[in-house]
Amino acid sequence: MIDKNTLTSNIIVFAKELDASRAVAKQIQQAIVAKQSAGQPIVLGLATGNTPKLVYQELVRMHKNEGLSFENVITFNLDEYYPMMPSHQLSYHNFMNIHLFSHVNMLPENINIPYGQWSKAELIEKCKIYDEKIQQLGGIDIQLLGIGRNGHIGFNEPGSTMDTCTRLIDLHETTRNDAAKDFEGLHNVPYQAITMGIQTITSARKILLLALGERKSVIVHKALTGEITSDVPASYLRVLPQIEFIFDKEAAALINR
Ligand code: GLP
């Protein structure tokens, strides 16, 4: 039985978004280096959206200025719009290339992103293979997450339950509205996406949820202090021992009170 009053103690609040982002990048760097010292690969679960941009910027800086190598890094992205061409300007494939992959020494074969062109007939099987590949590699070591204004993680929209795996999902109205500006109009925003499931995400050994800015303060408050429910998928995270919530003070404003 989950106590709805449970408030995780794993919350770190930084004065500035840059400091919060740097703290996340530092944890990722340390984990990559530790695995390198042990001669092992590391499996990272990666997010898109505005929130992780400074994290990726900092990781690129570490690669260029401090010699951080990505040769042992295997990545699995959380999600991709559907349908979506990888070459589309607003695809998450393109996002990852622009913000991280094209700047570091990742091996192309170590990059995994749900493919927005899988046919409807093969989708279920391809999603299953995506999850199986993660498991075969020993699971995700660090999962980076943002949070949608409706409490989604990845594209696990309200209604997504704890036992969900990688799958096709209908995008929520709030999510499509939030994406409308980037797509230059709501009518251009895809209606669906492929997302890792909540079970896939919560199986990670470490989860770092980053939320920045005042526009996330209401959902951060709801996810951390409201009912633990599929209506707010991020609320599932706060009872996990491996979660760390990293906020700037604007995002944390309502929980600070
Ligand atoms: C997007 C992504 C999520 C992301 C969230 C928040 O739709 N699928 O992975 O965490 O919405 O986006 P942003 O960081 O731009 O606020």
Side-chain angles (χ1 to χ4, degrees):
M1 173 76 185
I2 299 171
D3 175 0
K4 81 178 177 79
N5 295 315
T6 309
L7 179 57
T8 178
S9 56
N10 302 334
I11 303 169
I12 313 173
V13 181
F14 289 87
K16 295 184 181 150
E17 62 174 34
L18 185 59
D19 298 330
S21 305
R22 281 187 176 149
V24 171
K26 187 90 199 151
Q27 282 209 46
I28 295 173
Q29 176 204 32
Q30 286 170 346
I32 293 174
V33 171
K35 288 283 190 176
Q36 276 163 4
S37 306
Q40 290 169 1
I42 182 165
V43 182
L44 300 180
L46 298 181
T48 52
N50 285 314
T51 309
K53 284 182 183 171
L54 289 173
V55 175
Y56 296 141
Q57 185 181 298
E58 180 65 3
L59 287 170
V60 170
R61 191 198 63 74
M62 288 166 168
H63 172 69
K64 295 204 163 138
N65 299 350
E66 298 172 11
L68 176 65
S69 172
F70 285 75
E71 226 166 8
N72 69 325
V73 177
I74 302 170
T75 61
F76 286 86
N77 263 80
L78 278 169
D79 46 18
E80 177 59 285
Y81 288 109
Y82 186 87
M84 177 57 83
M85 291 289 288
S87 57
H88 189 288
Q89 200 192 340
L90 293 172
S91 77
Y92 286 166
H93 281 72
N94 194 44
F95 176 98
M96 290 310 301
N97 280 329
I98 289 173
H99 293 282
L100 183 66
F101 296 152
S102 67
H103 306 286
V104 297
N105 62 333
M106 284 278 310
L107 301 175
E109 62 268 32
N110 285 348
I111 295 170
N112 300 277
I113 307 177
Y115 183 52
Q117 292 293 302
W118 282 328
S119 71
K120 282 265 162 79
E122 65 182 349
L123 239 159
I124 292 178
E125 185 60 18
K126 293 288 187 187
C127 289
K128 192 166 159 257
I129 292 170
Y130 200 76
D131 283 335
E132 282 169 0
K133 192 169 177 190
I134 293 172
Q135 279 169 19
Q136 281 157 11
L137 288 162
I140 293 172
D141 291 296
I142 300 184
Q143 175 65 57
L144 177 58
L145 289 180
I147 182 171
R149 287 192 310 121
N150 60 3
H152 75 213
I153 47 175
F155 270 134
N156 288 283
E157 298 286 32
S160 301
T161 49
M162 273 295 275
D163 55 0
T164 46
C165 295
T166 300
R167 68 203 186 287
L168 186 66
I169 191 158
D170 292 339
L171 293 177
H172 197 261
E173 209 186 318
T174 314
T175 304
R176 291 190 65 249
N177 276 314
D178 280 353
K181 195 168 164 244
D182 287 342
F183 278 89
E184 293 174 358
L186 187 59
H187 59 288
N188 293 323
V189 182
Y191 286 89
Q192 291 184 304
I194 302 166
T195 184
M196 270 189 201
I198 299 195
Q199 191 179 82
T200 320
I201 292 169
T202 55
S203 299
R205 277 183 282 284
K206 180 93 203 167
I207 303 172
L208 305 176
L209 185 145
L210 180 63
L212 304 172
E214 192 265 328
R215 61 188 285 275
K216 296 293 170 70
S217 61
V218 171
I219 193 60
V220 161
H221 180 255
K222 202 170 175 184
L224 268 67
T225 65
E227 199 184 333
I228 294 174
T229 163
S230 64
D231 292 345
V232 184
S235 66
Y236 287 129
L237 299 172
R238 73 175 194 257
V239 291
L240 302 176
Q242 77 274 33
I243 182 73
E244 220 171 275
F245 293 100
I246 297 149
F247 304 137
D248 64 1
K249 65 175 189 315
E250 285 79 13
L254 302 177
I255 53 164
N256 268 344
R257 228 166 254 170

